[in-house]
Amino acid sequence: MATHLDDPRVIEFDVRTDEMLVNMGPQHPSTHGVLRLVLRTDGEVVSECTPHIGYLHRCAEKIGENLTPRQFIPYTDRMDYLAGMNMNLGWAMTVEKLLKHQLSDKARHLRVIIVEMNRIASHLVGMGAYGLDLGTFSPFLYAFREREKILDLFELACGARLTYSYLTVGGATHDLPSGWLKQCAEFLDQLEPVIAECHTLLTTNAIFIKRTAGLGILTPEMAIDYGCTGPVLRGSGVDHDLRRDGEDRYTAMYDGYAFEVIVERDGHYPRDHDYPAVPREAVLGDCWHRFYVRMLEVMQAIDMVRQAIDRYSTAKGDYGIPVKLAEKLPKGEAYLETEAPRGQMGFYIVSDGTSIPWRVRARSSSFCNLSVTHELCRGCLIADVPAIVGSLDVVMGEIDR
Amino acid sequence: MSGQAFLDRLKKRFGDLITGANLEAIDPWIEVAPQAIAEVGRYLRDEPDLRFNLLNCITAVDYFEPDPKKAAKASFTPHLELVYHLWSIPNKSSLVLKAMLPRWQNDEPGQLPEIPSVTSVWSTADWHEREVYDLSGVRFIGHPILRRILCPEDWVGHPLRKDYEMPLEYQGIRGR
């Protein structure tokens, strides 16, 4: 059959593509760290995406078997380096569970302030970096500017900006400095309009919606099956948040706080009357929903810190005196999961009665969240891969430990 | 459901395959015979009133004391323990399953102990089992692709074993 160049079928006849293996990473800005993705592509379409991890593996669990629990605290900072406080808390509470240690009210509220502030900082990075993945730069700068202010506050409280080691077994290393609470409240007041600005720049942006809505759909069943937790699970519409549903020891920390789990119920999110509604193109469980859950969680965390500041300033007791550096551990084992910004962070400790644990295990949320990538990336375009991986908000330090 | 009633129900259903329990521990646990782990997992996941649909993590604990002086005083006989932490989202409850394995299959050093994979029950077990295989040296029967996940493919040994020794050299890089 003779064909002419102006025949639209010519391209189909002449240009054939072959499958090709494409390496993305481990040194690629959109992979959020040293993550290597091997893509099997046919033209622009990705038929298979295999994540390879382990480039940042330091065997933190083995280190934990050679140090006392308080000496291990700095190593937990280096797991999820964007939310060091939450990691400190997870490990400290696991050891406290083993020691059957009870905290004073004041220490409890102090922890809520610090941990929720770190959640805001972490989500700001997640949000800004996600914008960057999709090619928008300004929200990234705005998010980092606000995060710097949180880091300033943390620096005042504990002297460090990234690896805090502030919350330790038995409480915190020291009390908040005077005037800190006032500065913190002022910061929260000026943060709210910035978040509203980010909503106009990202959430309601037509290009942003085009790039994220209906992409990488994670069904609730698949999310649970793959052990996804945190905003990834709630973005799929599963009503599960350990701050409300977790173990008594953990939920007791949030006892008396007014908050609602950020999850879609009948097409609506809690508090979304103040913020843009879900666009028509969005499908539950897609990248847009995961992003939106994070944005609303920032607002919720602001609320919780405000409540905690009030309670902390009136609470009696001490700020939580840390246990002795080499305190003997009782024989036994304990496992506790806490709700870190990226999902549930679980620590497991086995003790044989000495001051050094026999076995330490860290179950990280990003590890499980990332394991679903190959399902989400099947059949998408190459340009969508950074959008999908970015929406999972992974931190490689936590995956490789 | 109380711990005892729960244990009785599992015993009624699986008989001798439920080999022990400790309901007084901080996290009460139930011991399962290794060959039945996938079956018990499937039952726990699918039973309408149990619904343990979230597998939090799989951990291997190596009970072995390399120092002969301390080993004489140790309270355990050398073995590997696999710990499965389950969570039920609808019921908001947790459960711990344990399976005891020998350190080496048939007591031949170098032969990895074996246990059925639970990837068919919870997909998240895929990466967790690869990690346990990589770091603690347990072979999971029926796992789709059991290969190292954190260490390089040509790494020798399993770092979380208590008798593991850091290699002197890896690909020309000094180890110790």
Side-chain angles (χ1 to χ4, degrees):
Chain A
M1 189 175 70
T3 50
H4 298 281
L5 278 178
D6 50 4
D7 187 333
R9 289 172 300 171
V10 167
I11 288 178
E12 263 175 53
F13 291 143
D14 286 353
V15 182
R16 296 191 68 96
T17 52
D18 273 320
E19 286 210 328
M20 201 160 82
L21 279 183
V22 178
N23 274 298
M24 192 185 252
Q27 302 288 336
H28 191 277
S30 75
T31 53
H32 295 239
V34 274
L35 166 67
R36 175 170 159 234
L37 297 164
V38 179
L39 312 176
R40 183 183 293 279
T41 58
D42 184 358
E44 280 285 303
V45 180
V46 177
S47 55
E48 204 182 303
C49 167
T50 319
H52 287 250
I53 60 171
Y55 293 92
L56 210 54
H57 181 47
R58 296 144 290 171
C59 228
E61 295 175 10
K62 186 87 172 175
I63 296 171
E65 291 167 22
N66 292 291
L67 297 173
T68 65
R70 269 198 63 196
Q71 287 174 325
F72 187 58
I73 288 274
Y75 291 88
T76 60
D77 281 323
R78 282 148 182 85
M79 287 183 191
D80 186 349
Y81 37 74
L82 296 179
M85 295 290 192
N86 295 69
M87 298 290 114
N88 294 165
L89 177 85
W91 174 244
M93 286 192 94
T94 310
V95 180
E96 282 162 18
K97 183 176 175 181
L98 182 71
L99 293 168
K100 298 201 170 76
H101 185 94
Q102 284 302 328
L103 273 183
S104 69
D105 254 9
K106 190 154 180 153
R108 170 166 85 93
H109 298 312
L110 173 93
R111 281 184 169 187
V112 174
I113 296 176
I114 295 294
V115 163
E116 294 302 321
M117 284 292 275
N118 211 171
R119 192 186 305 277
I120 298 174
S122 170
H123 280 339
L124 281 174
V125 177
M127 183 205 88
Y130 191 46
L132 208 57
D133 286 344
L134 299 177
T136 155
F137 193 60
S138 306
F140 175 75
L141 291 178
Y142 298 154
F144 263 66
R145 185 185 64 200
E146 298 310 313
R147 176 174 177 257
E148 283 300 306
K149 293 173 190 165
I150 299 179
L151 297 192
D152 288 342
L153 285 170
F154 283 164
E155 194 179 5
L156 278 177
C158 67
R161 291 177 72 83
L162 193 70
T163 50
Y164 312 105
S165 311
Y166 181 49
L167 306 178
T168 66
V169 183
T173 50
H174 40 259
D175 206 352
L176 292 172
S178 63
W180 196 91
L181 293 176
K182 192 164 159 281
Q183 281 186 40
C184 185
E186 280 167 10
F187 163 74
L188 294 177
D189 289 339
Q190 65 89 35
L191 177 64
E192 261 183 281
V194 177
I195 300 299
E197 199 179 6
C198 291
H199 273 296
T200 44
L201 281 170
L202 290 173
T203 321
T204 53
N205 182 319
I207 302 171
F208 183 84
I209 293 173
K210 279 258 185 227
R211 293 273 331 252
T212 55
L215 174 71
I217 298 164
L218 182 65
T219 61
E221 295 78 27
M222 202 198 284
I224 295 171
D225 194 26
Y226 274 92
C228 298
T229 47
V232 177
L233 181 70
R234 288 193 285 278
S236 293
V238 181
D239 193 357
H240 181 62
D241 188 321
L242 283 188
R243 285 175 287 175
R244 185 195 66 194
D245 306 328
E247 275 182 47
D248 296 345
R249 176 167 275 280
Y250 182 56
T251 50
M253 195 172 115
Y254 290 93
D255 217 11
Y257 281 85
F259 69 100
E260 207 177 339
V261 174
I262 302 290
V263 70
E264 194 222 45
R265 293 188 187 89
D266 309 321
H268 292 282
Y269 279 94
R271 322 183 43 104
D272 74 351
H273 47 86
D274 298 335
Y275 294 97
V278 181
R280 258 181 309 129
E281 299 93 322
V283 184
L284 193 62
D286 64 1
C287 296
W288 191 90
H289 278 272
R290 286 193 279 278
F291 173 82
Y292 196 49
V293 165
R294 273 191 202 101
M295 290 292 278
L296 293 184
E297 274 185 16
V298 172
M299 298 313 297
Q300 185 198 52
I302 293 175
D303 261 9
M304 283 167 100
V305 177
R306 283 193 176 131
Q307 293 176 42
I309 288 176
D310 288 347
R311 278 152 218 246
Y312 177 75
S313 27
T314 52
K316 291 188 180 67
D318 51 47
Y319 60 87
I321 307 297
V323 299
K324 279 196 232 83
L325 194 62
E327 173 147 328
K328 277 238 159 73
L329 300 167
K331 213 170 163 169
E333 48 199 82
Y335 181 80
L336 187 76
E337 294 223 332
T338 53
E339 189 77 34
R342 278 169 191 78
Q344 298 174 14
M345 184 69 205
F347 280 102
Y348 180 55
I349 178 169
V350 181
S351 158
D352 60 346
T354 57
S355 57
I356 291 173
W358 181 259
R359 175 81 165 93
V360 169
R361 163 92 173 130
R363 177 266 192 215
S364 63
S365 41
S366 300
F367 183 80
C368 300
N369 290 351
L370 188 70
S371 69
V372 80
T373 322
H374 71 104
E375 296 268 8
L376 298 185
C377 289
R378 195 169 291 144
C380 73
L381 299 177
I382 292 180
D384 291 339
V385 173
I388 291 173
V389 174
S391 76
L392 299 173
D393 191 18
V394 292
V395 161
M396 294 315 290
E398 189 194 18
I399 293 173
D400 295 341
R401 300 183 298 281
Chain B
M1 196 185 294
S2 78
Q4 191 58 46
F6 187 75
L7 182 64
D8 288 342
R9 179 164 158 193
L10 275 182
K11 275 206 167 142
K12 201 175 160 202
R13 173 77 174 70
F14 288 102
D16 294 342
L17 294 172
I18 307 296
T19 44
N22 183 352
L23 301 175
E24 267 77 61
I26 299 173
D27 293 313
W29 49 268
I30 290 171
E31 191 192 321
V32 179
Q35 69 272 19
I37 189 78
E39 259 178 85
V40 174
R42 191 178 302 278
Y43 177 78
L44 290 171
R45 185 196 66 176
D46 290 342
E47 210 51 15
D49 58 331
L50 303 176
R51 307 274 303 137
F52 285 99
N53 48 6
L54 189 67
L55 174 68
N56 280 333
C57 86
I58 304 177
T59 318
V61 190
D62 186 10
Y63 284 97
F64 178 73
E65 182 51 75
D67 185 345
K69 272 186 194 160
K70 285 187 193 163
K73 281 188 273 178
S75 55
F76 51 78
T77 49
H79 67 281
L80 264 179
E81 202 172 279
L82 277 187
V83 191
Y84 295 75
H85 290 273
L86 311 182
W87 181 269
S88 158
I89 290 181
N91 297 337
K92 310 186 196 331
S93 57
S94 65
L95 178 72
V96 185
L97 291 184
K98 283 193 179 187
M100 308 296 174
L101 296 173
R103 288 195 80 239
W104 302 111
Q105 188 78 4
N106 306 326
D107 287 328
E108 284 174 47
Q111 294 288 313
L112 297 185
E114 293 177 346
I115 187 166
S117 163
V118 292
T119 38
S120 57
V121 187
W122 301 282
S123 301
T124 180
D126 183 346
W127 279 28
H128 276 112
E129 286 178 352
R130 275 175 70 186
E131 191 184 336
V132 171
Y133 163 73
D134 186 357
L135 300 180
S136 299
V138 176
R139 195 173 295 283
F140 291 90
I141 306 297
H143 187 283
I145 5 162
L146 193 65
R147 49 191 178 117
R148 289 182 180 270
I149 186 165
L150 293 176
C151 294
E153 300 257 324
D154 56 348
W155 194 261
V156 180
H158 304 282
L160 285 179
R161 289 269 181 142
K162 290 282 177 186
D163 54 353
Y164 172 78
E165 275 184 29
M166 184 76 181
L168 284 172
E169 186 209 271
Y170 169 74
Q171 304 244 342
I173 307 162
R174 200 161 64 91
R176 280 189 272 174

